Amino acid sequence: MYRLSLIRTHQIEPLNAGLSVKKIVWRPDGKLLLIAYSDGYIRIVVTESKFNVLNYHMPGELTFIAWVQEEEQNQSPEAKNIGLEKETDQPRFVDSSQDYISDPPTISQTPGSMSFEPATSLLTFLQTQSDFDVLIMGTNDGILTIHIFGLYKCTTINISERVGYICSIKDALFNKDMSSLFVTVTDKFHNIKTIVLNTSIMRDYLEEFYYLSVKFVKLQELMCYLDRAIANMTETWESILLDIDTKLSNYARKRPAEGVTVDFLELLVWGECAPTLQEFLLVDLTKKGLETFGHAVDMSYSTIRTVLIDHVLTFSQNGVYHLSEMKGMAAFKDRYGVS
């Protein structure tokens, strides 16, 4: 990525080696960039910092991708009610859950690090939206997906089933108020066909789509946060075990098969220590080494306990809160029920 002055700002590496970039698309305001790789994985990054916002996988070969937004002059009253109109100083959305629970800090991306630091969250990218926008992606087997704000996949449509044959999606276009979606497909003989889908539900329920997107983002962040916290706990304990495992491996190489097990069983059952085990305990480990190891174990338990109580348990309750709110939202059949 280069600026207009030809100064390179970022170099974004693929998630796995040997991949090629198939397609890229900007969010309409230019703040996010979507990258589609040859293995089907989609990556969304922040333009200015290359912060990784979200990754997901698309089945099938991607043939079409577009990030479009509703035209400002055609915004509905619902869009204005949820704060999607352009205001420089006002937040686009005020999350009421912040009055009852606090969002977790971001865990450092450094492997083995236990630091927790504030960082830009997915919700921030929803709050900075000036218009309602959607990400549309199509595949060579006729699968069309629509993602609200590029983050929340609200629907998957099998176009092949609707036209009656396997087709490849070549283009998709909303009308001005997003009440209709025009999809252009081709079959294996390269015949072109355009079908029109009624998407008035998107025009009429912008507020509901926005709230669902917020809940998806909240739960997505919590899942990533808890996964990383648990991974850090595991890495902390494994680093302690690695030290003693290295010493035991060196000792095992000096003993015949199952000799280590026999030595420790004799010490446990009879209280007698074999000469080789005695040398290992006194020379290789030493009393000071065992004391250091014991102190490291105590420190690791303390760290794990802190992460478990202050982060895993605390913010697991956030997930229950958001799921409970979604259950309450589902009770409003006129707004969130199946139409």
Side-chain angles (χ1 to χ4, degrees):
M1 297 177 60
Y2 292 82
R3 298 194 184 277
L4 293 179
S5 59
L6 299 183
I7 298 176
R8 189 173 75 177
T9 57
H10 307 302
Q11 179 172 318
I12 303 174
E13 300 294 338
L15 299 175
N16 299 308
L19 300 181
S20 58
V21 176
K22 290 298 184 181
K23 294 181 182 294
I24 63 172
V25 63
W26 300 90
R27 195 174 77 173
D29 62 3
K31 294 181 179 180
L32 296 181
L33 175 66
L34 182 146
I35 308 169
Y37 292 99
S38 54
D39 62 349
Y41 270 92
I42 305 296
R43 187 177 189 180
I44 299 179
V45 298
V46 182
T47 305
E48 287 297 325
S49 65
K50 76 173 186 179
F51 173 78
N52 200 77
V53 177
L54 193 64
N55 299 325
Y56 47 83
H57 184 265
M58 275 291 292
E61 180 183 348
L62 196 64
T63 56
F64 172 78
I65 185 170
W67 208 328
V68 297
Q69 70 181 24
E70 182 187 28
E71 294 188 12
E72 183 179 0
Q73 64 269 24
N74 291 288
Q75 281 187 328
S76 63
E78 290 83 359
K80 297 183 181 299
N81 289 338
I82 63 174
L84 290 176
E85 72 280 9
K86 293 185 178 180
E87 296 181 3
T88 55
D89 299 326
Q90 297 296 324
R92 301 297 177 240
F93 173 73
V94 179
D95 184 17
S96 60
S97 65
Q98 294 178 346
D99 297 334
Y100 308 99
I101 58 176
S102 58
D103 292 329
T106 297
I107 304 178
S108 173
Q109 298 289 332
T110 305
S113 172
M114 294 299 294
S115 61
F116 296 79
E117 55 193 23
T120 306
S121 67
L122 294 179
L123 186 62
T124 302
F125 297 114
L126 283 181
Q127 293 172 338
T128 57
Q129 298 287 335
S130 57
D131 297 289
F132 186 84
D133 63 67
V134 295
L135 175 67
I136 312 171
M137 292 188 287
T139 66
N140 62 343
D141 53 0
I143 301 299
L144 183 76
T145 61
I146 299 177
H147 302 250
I148 305 299
F149 300 112
L151 301 174
Y152 167 57
K153 184 171 73 173
C154 68
T155 185
T156 299
I157 306 172
N158 192 330
I159 303 297
S160 295
E161 289 184 354
R162 292 174 180 263
V163 298
Y165 54 82
I166 300 298
C167 63
S168 176
I169 296 176
K170 295 302 180 183
D171 197 4
L173 177 68
F174 277 104
N175 63 347
K176 290 183 178 181
D177 63 355
M178 291 189 174
S179 61
S180 298
L181 178 63
F182 300 83
V183 183
T184 302
V185 300
T186 60
D187 60 15
K188 61 180 179 180
F189 302 108
H190 305 290
N191 297 316
I192 300 175
K193 186 175 184 178
T194 298
I195 65 172
V196 182
L197 302 177
N198 181 1
T199 56
S200 58
I201 188 173
M202 298 188 66
R203 177 197 61 193
D204 299 334
Y205 292 91
L206 288 181
E207 181 179 2
E208 286 75 15
F209 277 118
Y210 192 87
Y211 276 89
L212 282 175
S213 300
V214 169
K215 288 304 169 188
F216 168 80
V217 165
K218 287 281 190 180
L219 291 171
Q220 179 78 13
E221 282 192 321
L222 279 171
M223 291 299 296
C224 294
Y225 176 86
L226 294 174
D227 286 344
R228 186 57 186 153
I230 294 173
N232 272 328
M233 292 167 57
T234 303
E235 292 169 4
T236 301
W237 180 241
E238 287 178 347
S239 63
I240 299 301
L241 295 179
L242 181 62
D243 185 32
I244 190 65
D245 185 63
T246 301
K247 290 180 169 34
L248 285 173
S249 297
N250 294 333
Y251 171 65
R253 282 195 291 267
K254 302 176 184 178
R255 301 288 293 141
E258 300 182 357
V260 176
T261 304
V262 173
D263 290 345
F264 278 96
L265 280 175
E266 288 180 351
L267 179 61
L268 176 64
V269 176
W270 309 111
E272 296 180 357
C273 187
T276 52
L277 180 59
Q278 184 177 3
E279 180 182 359
F280 169 71
L281 295 175
L282 296 177
V283 177
D284 295 340
L285 289 183
T286 72
K287 180 181 178 181
K288 183 177 180 180
L290 287 174
E291 290 175 350
T292 303
F293 177 74
H295 178 69
V297 171
D298 291 339
M299 287 294 294
S300 68
Y301 272 124
S302 176
T303 303
I304 291 173
R305 180 178 179 274
T306 299
V307 175
L308 180 63
I309 295 177
D310 295 346
H311 299 281
V312 176
L313 294 181
T314 299
F315 295 111
S316 293
Q317 298 171 1
N318 288 22
V320 175
Y321 176 89
H322 293 302
L323 290 173
S324 299
E325 277 205 336
M326 291 188 69
K327 183 178 179 181
M329 291 161 62
F332 293 88
K333 301 295 184 180
D334 58 326
R335 298 180 60 186
Y336 298 98
V338 178
S339 60

